[in-house]
Amino acid sequence: MSHLRLGDRIHLVSYKDRRYTLVLRAGGIFQFSGETLAHDDLIGKPEGMTVRTSRGTHFIALRPTLAEYVVKMPRGAQVIYPKDLGLILMWADIYPGAKVLEAGIGSGALTMALLRSVGEKGSVISYEVRDDFAKRAQENIDQFMGPVPNLVVRMKNIYEGIEDGPVDRLVLDLPEPWQVVPHAVTALRPGGVFLCLLPTVPQVQQVVAALQAEKGFGFIETFETLLRTWNIDGRSVRPDHRMVAHSAFLTVARRIVPEAE
């Protein structure tokens, strides 16, 4: 995987850190301000190498990381930011071999992060109600990951029920996750993790109230994360003027077994 291959999606990164995306194909030509670079000059070369256009402009050729890809990929629904994707994987405790149910699939960003974490022995089941979202997400996943046999996409409204239990983890990115809580009690295995993303406080209040009303959930927590980068240049050290602030609240709960059960 260290060498660039035909069909790879790559970034050409300029000295100003501007990124240009292309998919390598035989005979393809990258054009930049009247300059050209043949795709054939990249195929088979080491990732991370410096390449030059026809007039000598330098670029570094790199495969995009998942974080870079999800921010730039085509989208139907709003994507989940990388800062939240990392938290989801840790707080939902997504592990190799886990059976994870998500809803909805959106543009596929969370799905790809889940698939990477569950590995080949795990599985991800995604419920989605919109055909256009499911189609776009599948295209994004195929482009970045190739064929993924352990992903199942169901055109199904999770508010109406869950047919794939028991599952180890339940991850929700939809407007009214409190409607899923009654189904989650039976679909989520004891000890499993329930996690949802919500943008507003009233939504968080409603889902927490639903979790508290069910005797099958405990250890309920809600939090957010703010991401601020810093400029480090010799003795000049300062925070950047812009930051990725609030994007979503994460609410997490564990499936427990009350004494009455």
Side-chain angles (χ1 to χ4, degrees), residues 14-239:
S14 73
Y15 73 96
K16 292 183 178 180
D17 200 29
R18 292 177 180 169
R19 296 165 189 263
Y20 303 87
T21 301
L22 64 151
V23 177
L24 295 178
R25 53 187 177 84
I29 300 293
F30 169 69
Q31 299 191 24
F32 172 76
S33 298
E35 306 175 51
T36 60
L37 174 65
H39 290 203
D40 291 338
D41 292 339
L42 297 168
I43 297 170
K45 300 297 176 58
E47 181 183 7
M49 70 177 293
T50 298
V51 296
R52 296 185 182 186
T53 64
S54 56
R55 294 182 186 173
T57 299
H58 290 70
F59 291 92
I60 295 176
L62 292 166
R63 294 184 182 92
T65 65
L66 179 57
E68 292 168 338
Y69 179 72
V70 300
V71 171
K72 297 293 185 181
M73 70 185 184
R75 61 185 68 180
Q78 174 66 40
V79 301
I80 299 174
Y81 282 96
K83 73 180 184 70
D84 294 321
L85 290 175
L87 282 179
I88 290 168
L89 297 180
M90 290 300 295
W91 284 86
D93 191 39
I94 308 300
Y95 59 89
K99 181 180 179 181
V100 180
L101 176 64
E102 70 156 348
I105 199 170
S107 295
L110 176 57
T111 313
M112 287 185 279
L114 294 172
L115 286 165
R116 274 189 162 187
S117 294
V118 302
E120 294 180 357
K121 294 183 179 181
S123 62
V124 175
I125 304 160
S126 182
Y127 285 16
E128 179 56 60
V129 295
R130 289 187 52 167
D131 289 333
D132 54 339
F133 284 1
K135 182 176 183 295
R136 169 53 64 194
Q138 191 67 67
E139 290 172 353
N140 287 337
I141 294 165
D142 291 345
Q143 179 63 62
F144 190 78
M145 303 187 74
V148 186
N150 56 339
L151 169 65
V152 176
V153 179
R154 299 198 190 283
M155 301 310 299
K156 179 176 174 59
N157 187 344
I158 197 171
Y159 295 157
E160 297 173 356
I162 297 173
E163 64 184 51
D164 293 282
V167 297
D168 300 306
R169 304 291 186 258
L170 181 58
V171 182
L172 305 176
D173 178 22
L174 35 73
E176 299 179 354
W178 50 88
Q179 293 196 45
V180 184
V181 171
H183 309 307
V185 173
T186 55
L188 190 61
R189 68 161 173 83
V193 179
F194 172 103
L195 182 146
C196 67
L197 293 86
L198 290 168
T200 71
V201 171
Q203 288 171 297
V204 171
Q205 289 176 308
Q206 202 156 347
V207 74
V208 169
L211 289 166
Q212 290 172 337
E214 289 285 352
K215 297 185 181 300
F217 287 100
F219 307 99
I220 303 167
E221 297 182 78
T222 295
F223 52 89
E224 65 176 340
T225 182
L226 313 178
L227 177 66
R228 182 172 68 176
T229 55
W230 281 66
N231 179 73
I232 310 294
D233 185 9
R235 299 180 66 181
S236 174
V237 180
R238 59 170 177 76

